[in-house]
Amino acid sequence: RSLSSGSEGESRLTRVLRERFPRASSIKVVDISGGCGAMYEIHIESEEFREKRTVQQHQMVNQALSEEIKHMHGLRIFTSTPKP
C-alpha cells in the first residue's frame, strides 16, 4: 500500500483523520513531497484536543495514522482547538 498520488494520499489521510476525530471543525492534509506521497503536512482543529498538551495532541494524530506513517518519510502536524 503506497501513498503514490498526492491527491489520493491526501484524501485517504483525510478520511482516516475524519473517522478518528469526528468532532474536528477543520482537517487539512497537504502532500508536501512534490506529489510522491512521502511527506505530508496536517492541520487539525478539534474539540478532542481541548485541555491536552501539544505533545499529547500530536500523539493522538500519530496513533490515528500509525499504518499510513509506515509508508512516509516525514509528517508535519499542526493541532489546535476551536476558538470559543
Side-chain angles (χ1 to χ4, degrees):
R1 243 178 46 173
S2 80
L3 301 174
S4 52
S5 109
S7 58
E8 178 190 320
E10 288 169 358
S11 55
R12 180 166 43 250
L13 294 179
T14 301
R15 198 166 47 247
V16 170
L17 292 168
R18 279 258 169 247
E19 288 172 15
R20 173 58 184 86
F21 301 103
R23 295 165 59 200
S25 48
S26 169
I27 294 179
K28 182 179 169 198
V29 177
V30 181
D31 183 340
I32 55 174
S33 64
C36 72
M39 187 157 181
Y40 289 88
E41 184 169 294
I42 296 174
H43 296 260
I44 304 177
E45 180 177 275
S46 179
E47 272 303 322
E48 281 102 331
F49 298 139
R50 195 166 301 286
E51 297 186 17
K52 292 195 170 33
R53 296 190 323 270
T54 303
V55 69
Q56 293 171 311
Q57 296 173 12
H58 290 201
Q59 286 169 340
M60 290 167 71
V61 174
N62 280 318
Q63 189 174 13
L65 296 175
S66 59
E67 271 309 302
E68 288 73 14
I69 286 173
K70 292 176 185 174
H71 305 287
M72 294 181 201
H73 293 293
L75 182 62
R76 286 192 204 149
I77 301 172
F78 299 90
T79 54
S80 60
T81 54
K83 304 291 178 261

